Amino acid sequence: MNEVKKTDGTITKGIGGFYYVDTADGCIECRARGSFRKEGITPLVGDKVCIIYDEKTKSGAVDKIYPRRNVLLRPPVANVTQMAVVISSASPKPNLYLTDKILASAELSEVDIVICINKTDLDNGKEFFDIYERAGFCVIPISAKNNENIDLLKNKLKDNITVFAGNSGVGKSSILNCITESNAFETGEISDRVERGKHTTRHSELVLLKNGGYIIDTPGFGSFDFSLLNVENAAGLFREFEPYIYSCKFRDCSHTVEKGCAVLKAMEEGVISKSRHESYLRIFEEVKNAQNNN
Ligand code: GDP
Ligand code: ZN
């Protein structure tokens, strides 16, 4: 008779109604307990689960999903602990507004953030390093081409579930290949890939790293959910504003134009970067317009 066992694990992949659960006893192929469907619950990649399984056949059923720390929409993954935001110092030069939007969305999801400035073989990217280091982020200049500082990045990935975010062409896939020491991720010019992408449905998967930690194999954009934002909390997504926002003259200061605004003063003194404040102004406007339209 086969022995039925119970254990905890992490869902690393979900395809066609099967969930692959990483456990101390290896990878177990599971169905979801029938009642999940009735309850309208779909297990997600990244879910911490309790499973009941057959030790011999390594198959079983997901019996319980532990409470989720967060749920990312694109790619759909639960319990992400960190976002690696990738920009390239050149080719393409970063769009700082989009970068700041991705960062704001990471702050909103309450995940740790590491910023990678890739392609340092083309340009050292010091200008961007300074902006984000000054804002209080962990910034790693890397070159996927020359394998530069990939070890520093690997250290940051330990014990985390990390999603990579950033625009096309910045080198996310190249970096994932460096990290996993493989060629599993398709890289190349953007124009080549758009066509192929149309015909394949991508399922997100967690890839277990040698030194511990998982990366999510489908890079995304930080998806920005404006419904969670309002004009009062938008400034909270810019971590370097924090020390100043309580010193503004007006308690309801929007940090956009007011006299006696401590954030504006810090910007004028060069403590807060102009580009970061400009991004804040644009996000603030967008949030305000969205609020007015509701
Ligand atoms: P993704 O769209 O963000 O996944 O970017 P890819 O990894 O596909 O890279 C886009 C292009 O940039 C490819 O032609 C890569 O060879 C190139 N690339 C990636 N990393 C580097 C790097 O560190 N230095 C240089 N010079 N080129 C890179
Ligand atoms: Zn202010």
Side-chain angles (χ1 to χ4, degrees):
M1 217 181 91
N2 290 346
E3 202 192 333
V4 173
K5 289 180 79 172
K6 197 171 175 173
T7 191
D8 285 346
T10 304
I11 297 181
T12 59
K13 188 163 67 165
I15 291 177
F18 285 103
Y19 298 96
Y20 297 84
V21 181
D22 193 19
T23 73
D25 202 9
C27 177
I28 313 287
E29 185 185 80
C30 293
R31 290 274 186 191
R33 170 163 64 72
S35 51
F36 281 136
R37 184 174 301 192
K38 285 191 216 109
E39 293 159 22
I41 299 168
T42 310
L44 282 176
V45 166
D47 268 331
K48 308 280 179 213
V49 294
C50 176
I51 65 168
I52 293 165
Y53 70 107
D54 182 318
E55 206 179 6
K56 284 221 181 65
T57 63
K58 299 266 185 214
S59 62
V62 176
D63 189 51
K64 184 172 161 189
I65 301 171
Y66 293 108
R68 291 168 180 157
R69 160 193 171 126
N70 56 28
V71 176
L72 221 69
L73 299 178
R74 282 182 302 157
V77 181
N79 299 319
V80 171
T81 63
Q82 180 166 256
M83 191 182 278
V85 178
V86 183
I87 59 180
S88 53
S89 55
S91 177
K93 277 249 178 228
N95 175 329
L96 294 184
Y97 171 59
L98 287 182
T99 304
D100 290 332
K101 248 179 134 168
I102 293 174
L103 289 169
S105 123
E107 300 278 23
L108 201 60
S109 322
E110 299 184 333
V111 296
D112 288 342
I113 297 171
V114 52
I115 298 177
C116 305
I117 303 179
N118 190 34
K119 309 199 187 184
T120 53
D121 54 290
L122 299 177
D123 181 321
N124 68 12
K126 187 167 183 322
E127 175 195 344
F128 309 113
F129 184 91
D130 288 347
I131 290 173
Y132 291 104
E133 168 128 286
R134 183 186 306 160
F137 292 99
C138 166
V139 191
I140 309 181
I142 59 180
S143 166
K145 189 176 173 195
N146 297 343
N147 227 33
E148 189 194 308
N149 283 346
I150 294 294
D151 283 346
L152 284 181
L153 177 58
K154 277 185 180 170
N155 271 335
K156 294 292 292 180
L157 302 179
K158 270 183 206 161
D159 309 318
N160 276 300
I161 297 183
T162 304
V163 64
F164 281 75
N167 279 339
S168 285
V170 296
K172 297 180 297 298
S173 308
S174 305
I175 294 169
L176 292 176
N177 282 334
C178 286
I179 290 164
T180 54
E181 293 167 30
S182 74
N183 282 314
F185 299 94
E186 199 185 345
T187 66
E189 298 311 316
I190 302 155
S191 51
D192 292 345
R193 272 186 296 165
V194 180
E195 276 306 306
R196 267 173 279 154
K198 275 185 194 158
H199 305 292
T200 47
T201 322
R202 293 286 275 119
H203 295 277
S204 301
E205 199 175 315
L206 297 190
V207 179
L208 181 63
L209 300 174
K210 252 192 238 158
N211 299 331
Y214 294 97
I215 52 169
I216 297 162
D217 74 338
T218 37
F221 298 92
S223 37
F224 203 72
D225 188 354
F226 271 121
S227 64
L228 295 171
L229 269 190
N230 52 54
V231 292
E232 286 80 30
N233 68 13
L237 302 180
F238 288 74
R239 53 175 70 183
E240 71 273 43
F241 293 8
E242 171 77 26
Y244 304 101
I245 52 180
Y246 303 104
S247 310
C248 296
K249 184 168 174 197
F250 304 106
R251 209 174 53 88
D252 61 351
C253 185
S254 71
H255 323 299
T256 56
V257 291
E258 290 88 345
K259 285 226 159 61
C261 170
V263 172
L264 287 171
K265 182 159 173 277
M267 187 194 66
E268 276 145 25
E269 287 168 355
V271 186
I272 289 174
S273 297
K274 273 216 159 59
S275 77
R276 290 277 292 166
H277 190 260
E278 269 164 27
S279 296
Y280 167 72
L281 290 179
R282 284 178 69 176
I283 289 176
F284 182 86
E285 272 308 304
E286 284 185 42
V287 171
K288 201 167 85 179
N289 292 337
Q291 246 168 308
N292 290 342
N293 291 336
N294 279 337

